[in-house]
Amino acid sequence: THGASDLKGFVLNDALNTGGYARRQFLAITNYRTTNTAIPDLHTQIWAWNPSTQNFVLRQKIPSVGASSVDVLEHSIDVYMVISNTGPEAYLTILRWVPGSFREDINGANYGWDDDLTFGWVPGLFLETVQTIPTDGAMSAVLFHPYSESKPAMFLAV
């Protein structure tokens, strides 16, 4: 890590490229901006447990600036993540998990594929930005939902 400021463990059903789903453990780690100019861009990193190798492997890097907290919540059939960014342009980012699937990518740029690959498996990622909320340097954000069968709702505490 590079000045990790928060980490969140979570478990969710991860789509498999062979079909079906498997419960998989993940870690989300926020990296806080440092004065080290040798690190040009810090990201919030998503790590997935690989049962074959018995270690975590990097699944995704999410752009963030001065990330100070991360939270993950399964709500209804979706999984959401909120990241608090406390840099010069302080904001919260709320993302939704997009399950793994086979996808088309004409030039390979979207998923980092080789130029000659236009169709392939993309694992589950936090790809969909739900909302970006400007803040005045919020240090922490938490997603939660009170139990209610009649009115399912999700809330954000900052």
Side-chain angles (χ1 to χ4, degrees):
T1 68
H2 300 286
S5 55
D6 195 15
L7 108 91
K8 177 76 174 191
F10 58 99
V11 177
L12 55 80
N13 286 325
D14 194 25
L16 304 172
N17 63 353
T18 56
Y21 290 85
R23 292 295 279 174
R24 182 160 292 157
Q25 297 174 340
F26 291 87
L27 284 176
I29 302 173
T30 58
N31 285 301
Y32 191 79
R33 173 195 264 170
T34 67
T35 56
N36 184 348
T37 56
I39 306 169
D41 57 347
L42 296 178
H43 296 87
T44 295
Q45 298 175 342
I46 308 301
W47 295 79
W49 179 253
N50 182 331
S52 299
T53 61
Q54 294 289 298
N55 62 12
F56 283 96
V57 294
L58 183 62
R59 169 73 68 94
Q60 180 180 10
K61 291 181 178 181
I62 301 169
S64 53
V65 178
S68 60
S69 77
V70 62
D71 194 29
V72 177
L73 177 72
E74 192 169 347
H75 179 70
S76 185
I77 62 169
D78 291 316
V79 177
Y80 296 91
M81 171 183 283
V82 61
I83 302 169
S84 294
N85 293 281
T86 59
E89 300 169 10
Y91 59 95
L92 301 175
T93 303
I94 302 171
L95 303 159
R96 188 179 71 81
W97 178 265
V98 177
S101 63
F102 286 97
R103 300 189 193 143
E104 183 178 29
D105 188 3
I106 301 303
N107 61 9
N110 291 332
Y111 306 112
W113 297 341
D114 293 335
D115 289 341
D116 59 339
L117 186 62
T118 60
F119 186 78
W121 176 257
V122 177
L125 303 166
F126 285 99
L127 283 179
E128 185 179 300
T129 301
V130 175
Q131 190 172 6
T132 301
I133 304 170
T135 69
D136 194 17
M139 294 298 294
S140 180
V142 178
L143 293 167
F144 68 97
H145 55 89
Y147 178 76
S148 171
E149 288 184 28
S150 61
K151 298 179 182 177
M154 182 171 63
F155 296 90
L156 172 66
V158 181

